[in-house]
């Protein structure tokens, strides 16, 4: 049964590539209905962590559970309830927006309607355009729509608003808030402090492949004795905000 | 919120949608259609007129016994050995498979959809070549239609098998395209694609007869003539299927 299982549970995750440690030790727990942020610099281990949580990579050590299910061992069930937006959108170049949405909808038992998905990411006017003719921001929004196509209960969003203009960014935030109202559990990987402070209930700060701080955005700021999440990040990691990515 | 999680696998409708999407990709990539459909027509136009004059056996001419089998072998070879590995390379390189990996779709669904679409492509290429040959060059149908159909099915599988060897052993996605092209031209060359095998050194001609293009030409030629299809070409085609399957299972990686 999955009644009391957290949305995402990870314990002692570790992953090395050819002897180089990407993730040393990451444990986290995303409760149902919670929005949980992961912050970290480039090379901190965020992407590898996300890939292990999504079941794309097998951890060297540690355990992952999505609603109590093993994303690799119980792939079929996990894929119906977990939506994942990967950092770089890789889709069929020659297919139109509505065709791609139709394709991804077809994978799921009770998908959202095409009209609803187009509306959620503001791509109604681009429905007939082929993927390779979309702007970078539009491609990213489409990628987000596809992650939501199956009406997932748990969503992993990797760099949700990176590369989006301010208007599109606010639109995506409104979309996340709508998911929150629907009770969807969300893991948000980000380097935008403002975004994390606004949307996330709790945040894990990852550095050097480890979780170095975990708590509410406000709690992390207070714990570091700083005024803003930006300053707290610098104080905790010793890195300038420019390094963040 | 209910807690029961249904592990539904995408069904037949999803499969149809995927096939439709693959077909749209193929149709919109017009360059990919040139080799399997355009090239055989070109060869037909340049070599058919002289080949249809003298009856060799059972009312069938060199056009029926040699040119047509070669054209059909080329259509299937181009699709199986060049297009199939390129498609897999594109999917691997672009990360589309990685994106599909986080959905309920499986890589086998993608492979199946591609196989369906490329079979349709092969059928269109074959039908077109036959149509032009019959209408404009007085080509005649095979004496043994059943044998011809059987050889076509076996040959198509052998071409896919060869393509899977290329896809499985190519070190990088880009090299798969190059190896596929060189492999197709090489197997074709010693299979009679650029002139009869009798002009080749005997050892090379012998090898060419066992490999998919030469074997297809021999077996289809026999079906057209209505004579018994010899065992060697059939064994050669079956071997390509077997080696391709084993190689793919052992070495092919989706990422």
């Amino acid at each position: 049964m999955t009644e009391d299982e957290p949305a995402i549970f990870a314990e002692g995750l570790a992953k090395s590539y050819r002897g180089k440690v990407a993730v040393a030790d990451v444990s986290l727990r995303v409760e149902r209905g919670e929005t949980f942020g992961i912050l970290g610099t480039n090379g901190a281990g965020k992407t590898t962590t996300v890939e292990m949580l999504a079941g794309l990579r097998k951890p060297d050590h540690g355990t992952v559970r999505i609603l109590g299910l093993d994303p690799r061992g119980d792939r079929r069930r996990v894929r119906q309830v977990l939506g994942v937006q990967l950092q770089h959108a890789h889709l069929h170049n020659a297919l139109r927006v509505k065709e791609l949405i139709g394709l991804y909808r077809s994978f799921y038992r009770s998908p959202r309607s095409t009209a609803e998905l187009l509306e959620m990411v503001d791509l109604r006017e681009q429905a007939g355009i082929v993927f390779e003719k979309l702007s970078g921001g539009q491609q990213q929004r489409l990628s987000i729509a596809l992650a939501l196509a199956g009406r997932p209960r748990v969503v992993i969003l990797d760099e949700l608003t990176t590369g989006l203009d301010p208007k599109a960014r606010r639109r995506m935030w409104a979309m996340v808030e709508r998911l929150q109202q629907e009770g969807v559990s969300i893991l948000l990987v980000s380097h935008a402090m403002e975004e994390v402070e606004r949307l996330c209930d709790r945040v894990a700060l990852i550095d050097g492949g480890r979780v170095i701080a975990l708590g509410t955005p406000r709690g992390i700021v207070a714990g570091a004795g700083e005024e803003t999440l930006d300053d707290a990040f610098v104080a905790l990691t010793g890195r300038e905000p420019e390094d963040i990515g | 919120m209910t807690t029961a999680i249904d592990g539904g696998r995408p069904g037949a409708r999803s499969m149809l949608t995927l096939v439709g999407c693959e077909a749209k990709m193929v149709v919109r990539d017009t360059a990919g259609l040139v080799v399997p459909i355009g090239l055989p027509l070109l060869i037909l136009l340049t070599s058919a007129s002289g080949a249809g004059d003298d009856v060799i056996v059972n009312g069938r001419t060199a056009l029926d016994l040699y040119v047509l089998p070669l054209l059909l072998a080329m259509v299937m070879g181009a699709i199986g050995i060049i297009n199939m590995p390129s498609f897999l390379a594109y999917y691997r390189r672009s990360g589309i498979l990685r994106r599909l990996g986080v959905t309920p779709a499986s890589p086998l669904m993608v492979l199946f959809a591609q196989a369906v679409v490329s079979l349709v492509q092969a059928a269109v290429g074959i039908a077109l070549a036959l149509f032009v040959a019959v209408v404009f060059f007085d080509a005649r149908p095979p004496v043994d239609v059943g044998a011809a159909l059987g050889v076509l099915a076996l040959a198509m599988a052998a071409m896919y098998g060869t393509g899977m060897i290329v896809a499985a052993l190519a070190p990088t996605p880009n090299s798969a395209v190059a190896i596929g092209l060189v492999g197709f031209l090489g197997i074709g060359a010693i299979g009679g694609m650029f002139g009869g095998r009798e002009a080749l050194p005997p050892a090379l001609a012998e090898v060419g007869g066992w490999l998919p293009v030469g074997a297809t030409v021999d077996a289809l030629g026999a079906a057209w003539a209505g004579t018994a299809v010899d065992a060697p070409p059939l064994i050669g085609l079956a071997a390509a299927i077997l080696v391709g399957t084993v190689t793919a299972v052992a070495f092919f990686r989706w990422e």
Side-chain angles (χ1 to χ4, degrees):
Chain A
M1 289 304 289
T2 57
E3 189 88 43
D4 306 315
E5 303 283 354
I8 300 176
F9 173 81
E11 190 165 49
L13 292 184
K15 183 79 187 176
S16 299
Y17 300 115
R18 297 190 188 90
K20 193 175 177 298
V21 176
V23 171
D25 182 12
V26 167
S27 300
L28 52 87
R29 187 185 165 98
V30 180
E31 301 299 341
R32 291 192 178 205
E34 185 179 35
T35 300
F36 189 97
I38 290 185
L39 271 174
T41 59
N42 273 333
K46 285 180 304 182
T47 298
T48 302
T49 300
V50 165
E51 287 175 341
M52 289 191 284
L53 295 177
L56 280 174
R57 278 187 203 285
K58 188 177 188 296
D60 296 337
H61 301 286
T63 308
V64 176
R65 291 290 179 270
I66 305 292
L67 296 173
L69 302 167
D70 176 353
R72 295 182 69 84
D74 217 340
R75 183 180 181 280
R76 281 167 59 187
R77 291 208 282 172
V78 168
R79 294 292 165 235
Q80 286 287 346
V81 291
L82 174 68
V84 181
Q85 178 234 340
L86 296 168
Q87 199 175 340
H88 300 288
H90 299 290
L91 300 167
H92 298 69
N93 274 336
L95 293 184
R96 300 178 207 285
V97 168
K98 60 183 176 206
E99 290 167 349
L100 279 163
I101 290 182
L103 176 63
Y104 279 70
R105 286 181 74 244
S106 79
F107 299 148
Y108 298 96
R109 279 299 166 86
S110 53
R112 284 178 205 273
S113 73
T114 301
E116 183 185 3
L117 289 165
L118 287 172
E119 187 266 321
M120 283 177 92
V121 297
D122 201 15
L123 282 178
R124 269 167 304 185
E125 285 164 26
Q126 286 77 27
I129 297 180
V130 295
F131 182 73
E132 62 187 351
K133 297 263 170 67
L134 296 174
S135 73
Q138 290 168 342
Q139 291 186 344
Q140 181 156 351
R141 274 143 60 198
L142 175 58
S143 172
I144 294 164
L146 299 183
L148 305 175
R151 218 179 282 279
R153 296 189 209 168
V154 183
V155 183
I156 296 176
L157 300 168
D158 194 359
E159 300 291 354
L160 176 69
T161 59
T162 305
L164 296 186
D165 61 49
K167 180 167 166 272
R169 183 170 297 196
R170 278 193 295 277
R171 180 97 192 186
M172 290 308 105
W173 290 349
M175 185 270 303
V176 168
E177 282 159 356
R178 173 171 165 182
L179 292 176
Q180 289 171 335
Q181 282 163 15
E182 292 178 12
V184 176
S185 314
I186 302 165
L187 182 80
L188 187 69
V189 182
S190 182
H191 67 264
M193 301 296 171
E194 188 192 354
E195 178 171 299
V196 169
E197 280 184 302
R198 171 168 171 168
L199 296 175
C200 296
D201 302 310
R202 287 188 306 141
V203 183
L205 226 133
I206 294 188
D207 197 49
R210 293 173 194 280
V211 176
I212 59 167
L214 182 73
T216 61
R218 210 174 278 244
I220 287 182
V221 173
E226 298 289 343
E227 295 288 316
T228 67
L229 194 55
D230 245 337
D231 293 335
F233 186 91
V234 175
L236 288 164
T237 64
R239 291 176 214 272
E240 291 300 311
E242 282 80 16
D243 298 339
I244 299 170
Chain B
M1 196 183 283
T2 57
T3 53
I5 295 172
D6 189 348
R9 193 174 268 176
R13 234 186 53 200
S14 182
M15 196 66 242
L16 268 179
T17 310
L18 195 54
V19 169
C21 284
E22 290 299 333
K24 284 174 191 151
M25 295 276 289
V26 167
V27 169
R28 285 170 196 172
D29 171 33
T30 35
L33 295 173
V34 169
V35 172
I37 293 174
L39 191 62
L41 282 183
L42 193 68
I43 292 177
L44 190 62
L45 295 178
T46 55
S47 64
S49 47
D53 298 339
D54 301 319
V55 170
I56 295 176
V57 62
N58 279 344
R60 299 301 186 270
T61 64
L63 173 64
D64 306 317
L65 301 182
Y66 191 73
V67 176
L68 275 185
L70 180 61
L71 288 185
L72 303 192
M74 286 178 65
V75 171
M76 292 186 287
I79 287 170
I81 304 175
I82 305 176
N83 286 14
M84 165 80 128
S86 328
F87 147 80
L88 286 172
Y90 166 68
Y91 266 56
R92 283 199 279 182
R93 185 181 55 231
S94 65
I96 289 176
L97 285 173
R98 189 166 167 269
R99 180 63 186 81
L100 288 174
V102 293
T103 74
S106 80
L108 282 178
M109 275 177 70
V110 178
L111 194 61
F112 180 79
Q114 174 65 17
V116 170
V117 171
S118 66
L119 277 177
V120 172
Q121 239 181 304
V124 169
I126 288 172
L128 200 61
L130 287 179
F131 176 78
V132 172
V134 168
V135 172
F136 296 101
F137 300 102
D138 298 322
R140 267 137 294 193
V143 173
D144 191 342
V145 175
L149 289 175
V151 170
L152 280 177
L154 191 67
M156 193 65 234
M159 300 298 182
Y160 276 140
T162 312
M164 283 310 293
I165 298 174
V166 174
L169 298 184
T172 66
N174 280 328
S175 68
V177 183
I179 295 173
L181 193 59
V182 171
F184 170 70
L185 292 175
I187 294 170
I190 60 172
M193 205 160 81
F194 306 116
R197 286 214 304 283
E198 57 281 358
L200 296 169
L204 221 48
E206 173 73 20
V207 173
W210 289 89
L211 294 178
V213 173
T216 301
V217 172
D218 289 352
L220 269 185
W224 240 272
T227 55
V229 180
D230 289 337
L234 297 182
I235 294 170
L237 293 175
I241 298 170
L242 184 70
V243 174
T245 307
V246 170
T247 310
V249 169
F251 297 108
F252 185 74
R253 296 288 172 267
W254 285 106
E255 284 185 63

